[in-house]
Amino acid sequence: MAKDDPSNDNLQSDPDPSIPTKQATNRLSQLSSHISPNNNATNSPNQPQSRKPSSKKSKKPVSNLPADYSDVLDQLATLRKLAATPDVKNRGYIRQKQAGKLWVRERIEQLLDPGTFREIGSVSGTVTWKQTGPLREEPVAFTPSNNVQGMGELSGRPVVFTADDFSIRGGHADGAMMEKTMYVEKMAIAMKVPIVKLVDGSSGGGSVTTIRKEGWSYVPHVNTFRPMVQQLNLGVPNLGAVVGPAIGLGAARVVSCHFSVMAADVGSLFNAGPKVVEGATFEEGLDFQDLGGPLMHCTNGTIDNLAANEAECFEQLRTVLGYLPNSGSQAPPLIPCDDPENREDLGLRTIIPRRQTRMYNPRTIITSVVDQGSWFEIGALWGTTGITGLARLGGRPVGIISLNCEVNSGALDAAGSQKLTRLLKLCDVMNLPLVQFVDVPGYAIGTVAERTATMRWGVELGKAYFSTTMPVFSVITRRVFGVAGGIMVGCRDPPMQCAWPSGHWGSLPLDGGIEVGHRHELREAEKVGKKAERYKELEEEYLRLMNPVRTANAFGVEEIVDPKDTRSICCAWTKRVYDVLIPERLSDRANGKIHPSFS
């Protein structure tokens, strides 16, 4: 007889009917524990827990909050009031006033049209909060970020605006918000509106205290340069003013603008301050003006223009903007003109001396030809062999270039070439036609010219003339010689130009040119004591052959005009450009056929 197997008994026994019920109960208990906010740990794991309604105590704080969010609006109002009210006991504010500078919000009031400023990031900064209830708090102290920015109007034109607050950490990064600065830079591109920058400090540049604040040192990146370069090349006007010490990144931001101006009484600019310089180069006792004042940077081309004070800076910004479009996708703004386009000036007939070596004031020609009161010179204190600026002809904005025979006889040196190059690029990105008054004996020569890389910068000027595409009209008032002359009048095909009766041109000026071309002949004449006599004969012959009418006979120059008619000729050309060529140019830019570049 076989023995009973216990395992066989288990297999054959009936299943317990309570097992499925226990499993379902456990599952329901687990589910209830997940969804119920009031679990009781002492409950039996086999008993499902019921969801209890929230107590009145938990609802009370929520019910006391105002339905209209007035508590939040009050907080915003308090912070904005704190930001807009200067702390007269703050050492930064006291230092600002002792230096004779306006406070940042005073600058906004003076620069922008009244009532047009709308701040962006008005409550960004560091806040000290005081809790007044379970869900309530109020600000008791507020240190705004040291960059005030937003939108407003400048002479009725919409602009994006950014200004440093030097009274808060000198404009350094440990008091700034880079995201805020980047936002406005990008906004100028997206909205296609000019951007105005008032620099007083480092504009969010580095400070060693940032390392202490963050607890680690960082690899520096200049993120603002990418949108800045986009603005420059898109023709979004960048206008900057130095209204305090512009340091490091702040200096870079203003120097990169299309137009920059410095206040003579409070402005300065440098890569690093006097203390840093002292430790690096051992130059001691330098102040801001010695290191980078207006006598330094308004005469070397770092800053375009000089203003007497902050108010004059603001006026120059308004003036320049009046010539420029909101972006390169638009035409420059036209204004009504009361100055007759056919106005004549008989005085222009005698302004050029018959003797080629004599000088005259080229600015007199400019102010005579352009609309009365419209001439605005850019860079008057540097690159003085050239004259550049903006003006209007019949109410239409144009760029102006002239050579300055009163400095180095008008021979273009390195700085003069740089200045002309800068204006050419400005005109190109802003769709400004260019009118130039040509009297150039060539590039500067001599050891100083060679030492300062005159040919290098002269070639860069040539590249600018031939890579830009804005319309150019040349008025040849006197000399056109050498590579410089050939570049200026030959940069467009066909050349749009006219010449005055005083025109005088060739590959080389006669002074020196006769000596080179007739060296052997003059040497032989010298042996018999007749060098001076022979030189005079050759000079008289060349002067006769260089009569501008002979050039016109050969169609070497298209037309020689009466100088008194220069204004009407230039106005007629400018009108045609604005009526026909500018609309075509805007279409070409929109379709990607041309790509002007300022950078």
Side-chain angles (χ1 to χ4, degrees):
M1 184 177 181
K3 294 182 179 180
D4 295 335
D5 187 350
S7 62
N8 292 336
D9 292 341
N10 291 339
L11 291 172
Q12 294 174 2
S13 62
D14 295 333
D16 187 352
S18 65
I19 291 177
T21 304
K22 292 179 180 179
Q23 291 177 343
T25 302
N26 290 338
R27 290 292 179 89
L28 183 60
S29 176
Q30 292 174 1
L31 181 61
S32 298
S33 68
H34 282 296
I35 65 176
S36 175
N38 298 310
N39 295 326
N40 189 349
T42 60
N43 286 350
S44 171
N46 297 328
Q47 183 178 358
Q49 300 174 358
S50 61
R51 297 180 61 185
K52 296 180 181 180
S54 300
S55 64
K56 291 184 178 180
K57 185 176 181 180
S58 63
K59 288 185 175 181
K60 189 173 181 179
V62 178
S63 64
N64 285 342
L65 294 177
D68 60 357
Y69 295 91
S70 58
D71 56 324
V72 178
L73 295 175
D74 288 343
Q75 292 173 354
L76 292 171
T78 300
L79 292 174
R80 287 169 180 154
K81 184 178 180 180
L82 289 171
T85 305
D87 182 359
V88 296
K89 296 181 180 180
N90 178 272
R91 66 175 183 176
Y93 181 81
I94 295 172
R95 179 179 55 190
Q96 186 85 352
K97 287 302 180 180
Q98 289 176 341
K101 298 189 293 183
L102 295 172
W103 186 47
V104 61
R105 295 186 182 270
E106 293 173 334
R107 288 170 175 160
I108 295 172
E109 291 178 0
Q110 289 198 18
L111 174 64
L112 299 180
D113 298 348
T116 64
F117 180 57
R118 188 173 183 85
E119 191 168 358
I120 297 173
S122 59
V123 297
S124 59
T126 305
V127 184
T128 301
W129 294 93
K130 176 183 177 182
Q131 187 171 355
T132 59
L135 293 179
R136 288 179 178 269
E137 59 183 355
E138 62 181 19
V140 294
F142 179 39
T143 303
S145 64
N146 55 16
N147 184 275
V148 181
Q149 56 192 32
M151 296 194 69
E153 292 184 6
L154 198 62
S155 299
R157 296 272 300 277
V159 296
V160 173
F161 177 85
T162 173
D164 295 331
D165 187 353
F166 190 77
S167 67
I168 301 176
R169 290 294 303 132
H172 288 306
D174 53 352
M177 289 187 174
M178 184 55 66
E179 298 84 357
K180 183 178 178 182
T181 303
M182 285 290 293
Y183 181 83
V184 172
E185 296 283 357
K186 294 177 180 178
M187 186 178 181
I189 299 173
M191 300 294 289
K192 289 184 171 59
V193 292
I195 182 168
V196 178
K197 304 171 183 178
L198 301 187
V199 177
D200 184 6
S202 69
S203 290
S207 170
V208 294
T209 58
T210 303
I211 301 172
R212 186 179 183 186
K213 176 184 175 182
E214 299 295 335
W216 55 281
S217 186
Y218 56 90
V219 177
H221 292 272
V222 187
N223 296 325
T224 56
F225 257 61
R226 187 178 301 278
M228 189 186 306
V229 171
Q230 287 181 292
Q231 294 164 13
L232 295 174
N233 293 338
L234 289 173
V236 174
N238 263 247
L239 310 178
V242 181
V243 290
I247 313 163
L249 179 59
R253 291 186 74 211
V254 71
V255 171
S256 65
C257 288
H258 290 119
F259 172 78
S260 58
V261 59
M262 178 183 287
D265 56 344
V266 295
S268 56
L269 182 146
F270 30 78
N271 296 331
K275 283 296 180 183
V276 178
V277 171
E278 181 179 328
T281 67
F282 308 106
E283 296 175 89
E284 300 179 352
L286 296 175
D287 61 19
F288 287 174
Q289 296 298 312
D290 295 332
L291 185 57
L295 293 179
M296 175 82 72
H297 289 310
C298 292
T299 59
N300 65 9
T302 302
I303 296 296
D304 292 313
N305 277 20
L306 177 65
N309 47 45
E310 293 187 57
E312 189 175 316
C313 278
F314 302 158
E315 187 58 35
Q316 289 200 31
L317 295 177
R318 294 187 193 97
T319 301
V320 170
L321 183 60
Y323 297 95
L324 308 179
N326 287 334
S327 75
S329 61
Q330 301 175 12
L334 278 61
I335 65 171
C337 177
D338 297 329
D339 190 3
E341 296 186 19
N342 60 353
R343 172 174 52 81
E344 298 179 350
D345 186 355
L346 294 175
L348 293 180
R349 288 179 173 176
T350 57
I351 193 171
I352 305 294
R354 294 302 296 251
R355 288 186 61 180
Q356 296 290 331
T357 56
R358 288 189 175 178
M359 299 180 294
Y360 62 93
N361 184 355
R363 292 177 177 85
T364 303
I365 298 176
I366 297 172
T367 55
S368 172
V369 173
V370 303
D371 295 352
Q372 293 179 356
S374 72
W375 167 238
F376 179 81
E377 187 167 355
I378 298 176
L381 300 180
W382 73 282
T384 51
T385 55
I387 298 172
T388 59
L390 302 172
R392 293 185 183 88
L393 288 167
R396 306 170 187 90
V398 295
I400 298 290
I401 280 179
S402 174
L403 284 307
N404 188 2
C405 64
E406 293 184 314
V407 178
N408 199 30
S409 190
L412 269 175
D413 58 7
S417 294
Q418 292 173 45
K419 186 164 80 171
L420 266 60
T421 299
R422 184 171 172 82
L423 187 85
L424 289 173
K425 293 182 177 182
L426 176 67
C427 290
D428 201 33
V429 297
M430 297 298 176
N431 304 315
L432 288 167
L434 176 68
V435 175
Q436 54 183 3
F437 299 92
V438 183
D439 179 9
V440 56
Y443 287 126
I445 58 177
T447 57
V448 173
E450 303 300 342
R451 190 177 299 115
T452 55
T454 294
M455 185 52 71
R456 162 63 65 187
W457 293 110
V459 169
E460 291 300 315
L461 174 62
K463 292 178 184 178
Y465 265 111
F466 282 89
S467 62
T468 54
T469 57
M470 73 287 179
V472 177
F473 188 83
S474 300
V475 179
I476 302 174
T477 58
R478 189 162 63 174
R479 298 163 297 174
V480 184
F481 286 101
V483 176
I487 285 173
M488 293 186 71
V489 299
C491 61
R492 298 294 182 266
D493 188 16
M496 298 289 111
Q497 63 186 18
C498 65
W500 283 9
S502 49
H504 189 63
W505 36 67
S507 58
L508 283 173
L510 291 184
D511 292 339
I514 294 177
E515 290 278 0
V516 172
H518 297 270
R519 181 180 304 166
H520 177 72
E521 183 179 352
L522 291 173
R523 189 175 297 166
E524 293 298 317
E526 186 178 17
K527 293 178 180 179
V528 295
K530 294 185 177 181
K531 179 181 178 180
E533 180 182 346
R534 182 55 184 154
Y535 184 93
K536 185 178 180 181
E537 291 174 353
L538 290 170
E539 183 180 38
E540 290 176 349
E541 180 182 3
Y542 278 111
L543 287 174
R544 178 177 58 82
L545 295 175
M546 294 176 74
N547 180 353
V549 177
R550 284 177 169 265
T551 307
N553 294 153
F555 202 66
V557 63
E558 292 76 15
E559 196 66 33
I560 299 175
V561 302
D562 189 334
K564 72 178 179 62
D565 298 326
T566 303
R567 171 171 168 79
S568 62
I569 293 170
C570 291
C571 284
W573 176 81
T574 305
K575 183 178 185 302
R576 181 65 179 175
V577 167
Y578 271 88
D579 289 346
V580 178
L581 301 185
I582 294 297
E584 289 183 359
R585 178 180 176 83
L586 296 178
S587 176
D588 288 345
R589 289 189 74 166
N591 294 326
K593 292 183 179 179
I594 57 175
H595 302 278
S597 175
F598 186 83
S599 59

